[in-house]
Amino acid sequence: MPPSTPRPLTTGPPSGPEAPFPLKLSGKVVKGFGRGSSELGIPTANIPIAGLTVGGHADLASGVYYGFAGLNVTPDGVLLSTSTSTSSPPPPSAPPTSTSPSPAPPAPHFHTYATVLSIGYNPFYKNTVRSVEVHVLHAFPRDFYGAHLNLLILGFVRPEADYVSKEALIADIREDIEVARRSLDREGYRRWRGDGYLLRKGGEEEGEGEGDADVGS
């Protein structure tokens, strides 16, 4: 059951993410079941939990998290090509650390968005497979199947919970969204919105993994 005590306005230290964050996932957006939109009014992108095995984080606690997503989709829902010119290669970048975003390469085709996400079994729907469900904090006017999503997880909101009704679930998700929005609006987190990982085609830095993302319409 969800906690009965008042929810905090923000989570995570004001200075920015601490270990094990940031965590990185990358995948292609494909059509999912659409439960987030049709039943909850909150569209989500579902990423295979296998992606979290990269870096040894498969045992990350179930619950609600926040971060940023890089998408080759404009705010009005236009899918952009990720092809790049070979005439001028991007400059070398310094390796990222847990306390400093990596430099952003030239990537005019990627846009970044705040996100809130759930990792777990979603007890209300009795899921038997652990999943990652991402809600992008932007109202797109259309679906963007085929887009590429790079996800940077920066902080933890709360543990996973079950609910007595769909209305109670929706109310808590709405609160999660506001906690995530306020948490990401702090300077220690805002600066990660320009991280180079979010703006690369495929998101990859050497040694990182990639999966598919299922987005519910």
Side-chain angles (χ1 to χ4, degrees):
M1 299 297 293
S4 56
T5 55
R7 299 279 300 276
L9 295 177
T10 62
T11 65
S15 58
E18 293 182 338
F21 308 108
L23 300 176
K24 299 173 181 180
L25 292 172
S26 181
K28 185 179 180 182
V29 175
V30 297
K31 188 173 178 61
F33 292 108
R35 185 171 66 195
S37 291
S38 62
E39 294 189 27
L40 305 179
I42 304 168
T44 60
N46 305 319
I47 299 176
I49 196 68
L52 282 176
T53 61
V54 177
H57 297 297
D59 59 348
L60 191 69
S62 293
V64 178
Y65 296 78
Y66 58 83
F68 290 109
L71 282 164
N72 59 317
V73 180
T74 66
D76 56 355
V78 176
L79 180 63
L80 301 173
S81 169
T82 57
S83 61
T84 56
S85 171
T86 58
S87 59
S88 55
S93 60
T97 70
S98 60
T99 59
S100 177
S102 61
H109 303 303
F110 276 81
H111 295 256
T112 57
Y113 303 92
T115 64
V116 61
L117 56 140
S118 170
I119 298 176
Y121 295 93
N122 199 333
F124 182 77
Y125 285 104
K126 306 297 188 291
N127 291 357
T128 58
V129 178
R130 199 164 182 245
S131 64
V132 183
E133 299 178 82
V134 183
H135 173 61
V136 179
L137 303 187
H138 179 80
F140 293 97
R142 59 179 67 85
D143 297 327
F144 44 87
Y145 304 128
H148 197 93
L149 184 150
N150 301 324
L151 179 64
L152 196 63
I153 305 173
L154 298 177
F156 181 74
V157 176
R158 62 170 176 85
E160 184 174 59
D162 200 357
Y163 296 87
V164 297
S165 68
K166 183 169 64 178
E167 291 72 24
L169 170 61
I170 293 172
D172 225 21
I173 293 175
R174 296 293 184 192
E175 183 62 26
D176 294 336
I177 289 171
E178 294 310 312
V179 172
R181 199 187 304 274
R182 289 189 294 263
S183 297
L184 288 168
D185 196 42
R186 296 171 296 176
E187 177 57 32
Y189 295 83
R190 278 201 310 267
R191 64 196 185 101
W192 286 87
R193 187 164 191 157
D195 185 77
Y197 171 84
L198 296 171
L199 303 175
R200 293 185 181 94
K201 180 181 179 181
E204 254 83 9
E205 293 163 357
E206 188 174 354
E208 292 175 353
E210 180 176 3
D212 286 333
D214 300 332
V215 170
S217 58

